[in-house]
Amino acid sequence: MSSPTTGLHSPVPLSARLPVGELAARSVAAAGAALAGTPNSLPDPQRIAAAYRSDRHLLIDGEQPDVWSPLSGFWRTADGWVRTHANYPHHAVALRAGLSLDTHASSDDLRALLAATSTPHAVAAVRARGGLCVPVRREDPATDTALRQHPIVAIERLGNAPKRALPRSNASRPLDGVRVLDLTRVIAGPVATRTLAFAGADVLRIDAPTRPEFAWQHLDTGHGKRTALVDIASESELVESLLHDADVVVLGYRPEGLRRFGLSPQLLGERHPHLVVAQLTAWPGADSPRGFDSLVQAESGIAWCESPDGETPGALPAQALDHSAGYLLAAGIADALRRRASDGGTWFVSTSLRRVAAELLGLPRRPESAHDESAQPPTNPETQSFTVGGHDVITVVPAVTWPGAPTRYASPREWGADTASW
């Protein structure tokens, strides 16, 4: 991972035992440099810290949303610890089913059950029902070293295709006219496509009508994008039409699901050789299971590195794997678009949260305490206001920048309010 951060006047104030501020600075700077096509990217450390903790500064009608389910978190087992993720209703249903908890089970019920259950049994039982539960593991330097032998963002040529110039590039909007089909959810993918929209791309996000997105999550990362509801299983012709006229497709769903719907990178490259195909997964490889930032922190050893007492797992001060992966993926997409313009070809851009975790675990660690007050993120960051669907929304301003870049995001749209067309 390159380090285009020369010019930062102070460290990014994100307090942690691991150098998460350095990871954040490098990731945001990489996005700015790639979008502008120049290394002269000088992001502001305060803005980076606020952007990485944007959910904690988000206000909807003056209220800060509650972003965690009571069934999500660290739980002590009979022989260790697990971390669960049950924010989405279908994941909560799967978690309860795997552990034979009734629909009214509380966090106390879950705690008591897991305390009498072994870690392997709990993980296997939840996963068997499609739920999300991982063991909290210690750091494995050999695994991280092996992961770092691969690029943090891989850019590969999938096949041949004619050159295609960037439509209308300019300093303020270097991706003006580029069409991006967004098939992502949760933080990392939406951060990537929000960054592309900020650079002028026409981003259309499509979601299944049966899986509503949390309002807070969409409003926090939906800036500048249009949003439509499409059942990709029954409306495959519409999806193919959108892909035919797109420049980029960004994939954030499980590889297994993408293959089932004919949307794997290889199949997309064969049918639409003009595309830049970008894919984000939780773990590396074509068979990555479901996963989220918090789960990768637990599985990779980050949770123990951030333990407050050596006995209880901890967490980074932000969903830093998600945000970093999003900015880095946006950087890779911008790079691939320029390669397509100069060399032609079909391009595949990919990264994973686990690969980003390996990068963090390999950065030089500072001796400062995680409770160093000078490293605390801003409590009153610069914000901007919108009215979306009749609601007053306040979000932080962009962290990514380049010479001539705008200083504000365009407004998010109401989720699902647009038509699925370019």
Side-chain angles (χ1 to χ4, degrees):
M1 178 173 164
S2 62
S3 181
T5 58
T6 301
L8 284 180
H9 54 78
S10 63
V12 174
L14 288 170
S15 174
R17 290 181 168 84
L18 292 171
V20 65
E22 178 68 13
L23 174 70
R26 293 187 183 198
S27 301
V28 174
L35 291 167
T38 170
N40 297 320
S41 174
L42 305 178
D44 180 84
Q46 297 289 321
R47 286 192 176 188
I48 295 173
Y52 268 58
R53 292 164 57 88
S54 57
D55 59 308
R56 307 183 194 196
H57 303 296
L58 174 70
L59 294 177
I60 303 175
D61 294 329
E63 298 290 333
Q64 185 177 11
D66 184 5
V67 303
W68 289 103
S69 159
L71 300 184
S72 296
F74 292 111
W75 310 94
R76 191 185 292 274
T77 63
D79 57 357
W81 289 84
V82 296
R83 174 117 197 188
T84 59
H85 195 291
N87 287 7
Y88 284 103
H90 59 289
H91 290 153
V93 168
L95 176 69
R96 291 190 184 99
L99 297 175
S100 300
L101 290 166
D102 65 41
T103 57
H104 303 293
S106 67
S107 57
D108 288 337
D109 296 326
L110 178 59
R111 181 178 294 106
L113 176 63
L114 288 173
T117 305
S118 72
T119 295
H121 179 79
V123 170
V126 173
R127 286 182 176 174
R129 291 301 190 100
L132 297 163
C133 178
V134 301
V136 183
R137 291 185 171 138
R138 299 284 176 175
E139 183 179 4
D140 181 356
T143 295
D144 294 317
T145 298
L147 287 169
R148 289 193 296 272
Q149 301 309 303
H150 303 278
I152 191 167
V153 178
I155 305 176
E156 307 168 52
R157 187 176 182 128
L158 285 181
N160 296 320
K163 297 178 184 179
R164 182 175 290 202
L166 290 171
R168 296 185 297 274
S169 180
N170 60 74
S172 177
R173 296 168 59 86
L175 298 187
D176 194 17
V178 172
R179 289 173 169 172
V180 178
L181 188 62
D182 180 1
L183 299 177
T184 71
R185 289 173 74 90
V186 198
I187 299 169
V191 165
T193 54
R194 179 187 66 185
T195 303
L196 301 177
F198 180 60
D202 178 7
V203 179
L204 174 63
R205 170 173 163 166
I206 61 175
D207 287 276
T210 56
R211 290 283 169 86
E213 183 59 284
F214 295 122
W216 72 265
Q217 199 152 255
H218 169 64
L219 294 172
D220 189 39
T221 58
H223 304 79
K225 301 182 239 184
R226 293 182 296 119
T227 160
L229 304 181
V230 175
D231 183 343
I232 60 176
S234 63
E235 299 181 75
S236 58
E237 290 186 7
L238 172 58
V239 175
E240 285 298 301
S241 175
L242 293 171
L243 289 164
H244 180 269
D245 293 324
D247 294 286
V248 180
V249 58
V250 188
L251 309 172
Y253 294 98
R254 283 185 304 133
E256 177 188 340
L258 293 171
R259 286 194 294 269
R260 188 166 64 250
F261 293 115
L263 296 175
S264 69
Q266 291 72 25
L267 291 174
L268 286 171
E270 292 171 5
R271 296 200 307 274
H272 305 284
H274 66 287
L275 280 175
V276 170
V277 182
Q279 185 172 34
L280 177 83
T281 57
W283 283 271
D287 297 312
S288 172
R290 296 180 183 92
F292 293 94
D293 182 305
S294 59
L295 301 182
V296 176
Q297 285 191 43
E299 183 272 347
S300 66
I302 290 174
W304 282 121
C305 292
E306 296 299 324
S307 170
D309 55 13
E311 297 181 3
T312 305
L316 296 173
Q319 301 287 302
L321 307 182
D322 267 331
H323 285 273
S324 298
Y327 289 116
L328 292 167
L329 193 70
I333 290 167
D335 190 351
L337 284 168
R338 288 193 171 85
R339 294 191 194 192
R340 187 186 69 168
S342 63
D343 304 330
T346 308
W347 294 92
F348 177 47
V349 183
S350 62
T351 190
S352 70
L353 300 184
R354 183 63 183 87
R355 174 61 184 86
V356 175
E359 195 73 14
L360 174 61
L361 288 162
L363 290 174
R365 301 181 188 182
R366 299 184 302 271
E368 299 98 301
S369 165
H371 305 291
D372 179 4
E373 291 301 321
S374 66
Q376 294 303 316
T379 56
N380 294 297
E382 189 177 355
T383 60
Q384 57 185 128
S385 302
F386 311 98
T387 299
V388 183
H391 298 282
D392 295 325
V393 179
I394 294 176
T395 69
V396 296
V397 299
V400 67
T401 189
W402 59 86
T407 60
R408 294 290 185 273
Y409 285 124
S411 175
R413 297 275 296 158
E414 187 174 1
W415 186 76
D418 297 295
T419 57
S421 62
W422 295 116

